[in-house]
Amino acid sequence: MKLVITGADGFLGWHLRCYFFSHAEIDVVSLGRDDFADISKREAAVASADAIVHLAGMNRGDDQELYETNKRLMEELLAACETTQAKPHIIFSSSTHVARDTAYGKSKREAGERLLAWAAAQGTPACVLILPNIFGEDAQPQYNSAVATFCYDLATGKESVVNVAAAVTLIHAQDVARLIHEAISARAAGEQRVAGTDTTIGTVHAKLKDFFEQYSHDLFPLLATPFDLALFNTLRSALYAHGFYPRPLAARSDDRGQLFEAVKQRGGGQMFFSHTKLGFTRGNHYHGRKIERFCVIAGTGEIAIRKLFSDTVDRFVVSGDAPVFIDMPTFYSHTVTNTGTEDLITLFWCNELFDPADPDTFPDSI
């Protein structure tokens, strides 16, 4: 299957690309802003597409520009389909703001109506997903979601402005990606309203603040629900971006030697050790939900971490002489390499037990 994603460089576009990265049966064509603006590239992409996920849009800015931009982007997509005589299954990312009489709400509502009318005339399915507030890793503070802003504030030591009583419905970006995949597989048509987690802004901020307070004191918080795990992984992505890692382990010393507390966690998980020979590397994979801790306790090595679809590799020299830990961000490929003169011993910890039927471990070389 050939799947075209418009707005592929945006927050949800990146998450959708991450989701499909492990699906070898789907050929993903990414159209970022510049590619979509190029008529020849736009038409070439849609000409043989089996499905299109239309994420390209504007959600902040001058009202008139915002309204016109979102409608224009839909018209440009449909024009490309007509020019190439393509009739792909189109999934449109809309918003609960369609119920509001704002420039953004009207633009999303009218773009969705235009798509469904076009699809009916062409005899091809199209689906408009009415999505609640989306949060997740790599979101921009003050732009994508309040969750991103709160995480940024905690990571940088800023005070957040919190509308404590405000109600909000939240959904993680990977849950949206899964729903889009299901809609494509089912060739879903019409308007579909997507449920999320109903909560308040105050509750979300309090959770994130509590997670941060525990984690900054090297205590791994209890993550009782998938929603809590998604919130915590979003927080960790902001912490990683602002230099939270590597984290030194406090040594307790006496005449016998030293003791390090490598993991303190309120839930459980799984711990294991590896013995790596000189010059060898472990890893070259990433995770979509689970948290994996690397801690070298003997020897000298290098931990390398790279965000999916990025060419930038962060490298950290680590040693058993001064143990530190790094909790791998989700959707970042990672390795540990023995760069020393003796065998490397690494402690690994994961917040969940390994399940061969659902390993959440995907190969990707640094």
Side-chain angles (χ1 to χ4, degrees):
M1 169 182 278
K2 178 181 175 181
L3 172 65
V4 174
I5 302 173
T6 74
D9 294 336
F11 162 56
L12 185 54
W14 180 76
H15 268 275
L16 197 58
R17 291 163 63 203
C18 288
Y19 176 90
F20 283 113
F21 190 65
S22 61
H23 291 264
E25 74 282 6
I26 297 179
D27 178 21
V28 174
V29 176
S30 299
L31 287 181
R33 179 177 298 177
D34 292 341
D35 289 338
F36 189 85
D38 186 314
I39 295 176
S40 61
K41 290 183 179 180
R42 186 167 68 239
E43 292 180 351
V46 306
S48 58
D50 297 297
I52 298 173
V53 181
H54 184 46
L55 306 178
M58 181 179 179
N59 60 6
R60 294 285 190 279
D62 174 77
D63 279 357
Q64 189 63 29
E65 181 186 7
L66 191 154
Y67 174 76
E68 293 175 354
T69 296
N70 286 333
K71 293 191 66 177
R72 172 179 55 79
L73 292 171
M74 178 62 78
E75 292 296 339
E76 290 174 347
L77 175 63
L78 300 181
C81 291
E82 291 179 357
T83 299
T84 59
Q85 298 183 329
K87 296 183 180 181
H89 180 206
I90 300 178
I91 308 290
F92 175 48
S93 167
S94 190
S95 165
T96 52
H97 285 260
V98 295
R100 301 181 185 180
D101 192 30
T102 62
Y104 178 68
K106 287 191 292 184
S107 71
K108 283 291 191 179
R109 181 172 64 248
E110 293 176 16
E113 292 169 350
R114 175 72 174 97
L115 171 62
L116 294 180
W118 178 87
Q122 298 293 322
T124 189
C127 181
V128 177
L129 292 179
I130 308 298
L131 300 169
N133 293 273
I134 306 171
F135 74 97
E137 302 90 327
D138 205 46
Q140 295 182 47
Q142 305 294 340
Y143 187 79
N144 289 126
S145 77
V147 174
T149 302
F150 294 157
C151 291
Y152 172 83
D153 289 347
L154 288 166
T156 58
K158 296 184 178 180
E159 286 293 325
S160 296
V161 177
V162 184
N163 187 354
V164 175
V168 65
T169 302
L170 292 171
I171 186 169
H172 188 259
Q174 284 297 302
D175 290 327
V176 175
R178 174 180 52 80
L179 291 171
I180 288 174
H181 190 194
E182 291 173 358
I184 292 170
S185 299
R187 290 184 66 79
E191 185 178 281
Q192 295 189 6
R193 291 190 173 268
V194 174
T197 298
D198 295 324
T199 183
T200 66
I201 292 293
T203 299
V204 171
H205 182 260
K207 272 184 179 289
L208 289 168
K209 188 174 181 180
D210 181 55
F211 290 163
F212 177 75
E213 289 296 327
Q214 294 185 62
Y215 195 51
S216 61
H217 288 88
D218 298 328
L219 176 62
F220 201 91
L222 177 63
L223 305 173
T225 67
F227 179 69
D228 287 348
L229 176 60
L231 279 177
F232 185 60
N233 278 336
T234 303
L235 172 62
R236 290 196 311 112
S237 72
L239 294 175
Y240 180 82
H242 291 90
F244 187 80
Y245 306 102
R247 295 283 292 174
L249 295 173
R252 302 179 187 276
S253 302
D254 60 23
D255 293 340
R256 298 167 296 177
Q258 291 183 318
L259 179 147
F260 296 89
E261 294 180 335
V263 183
K264 292 189 290 184
Q265 205 254 354
R266 294 190 183 278
Q270 181 175 356
M271 184 180 295
F272 52 99
F273 295 87
S274 75
H275 183 276
T276 306
K277 296 180 179 179
L278 275 67
F280 282 86
T281 295
R282 293 182 183 272
N284 278 315
H285 61 242
Y286 68 94
H287 309 292
R289 69 168 182 272
K290 68 184 183 183
I291 304 160
E292 187 176 35
R293 175 168 295 187
F294 281 24
C295 179
V296 168
I297 57 176
T300 300
E302 178 189 81
I303 293 174
I305 304 175
R306 178 181 56 77
K307 178 181 171 182
L308 288 190
F309 313 113
S310 172
D311 295 328
T312 301
V313 179
D314 297 325
R315 300 183 184 276
F316 304 93
V317 175
V318 289
S319 169
D321 294 334
V324 299
F325 72 81
I326 300 178
D327 289 341
M328 300 303 152
T330 41
F331 306 108
Y332 279 65
S333 300
H334 45 269
T335 62
V336 59
T337 301
N338 186 345
T339 59
T341 59
E342 59 185 357
D343 288 350
L344 184 75
I345 299 178
T346 308
L347 177 151
F348 301 92
W349 171 83
C350 182
N351 67 309
E352 61 183 57
L353 300 182
F354 182 76
D355 180 1
D358 182 21
D360 188 46
T361 300
F362 306 100
D364 183 42
S365 297
I366 292 290

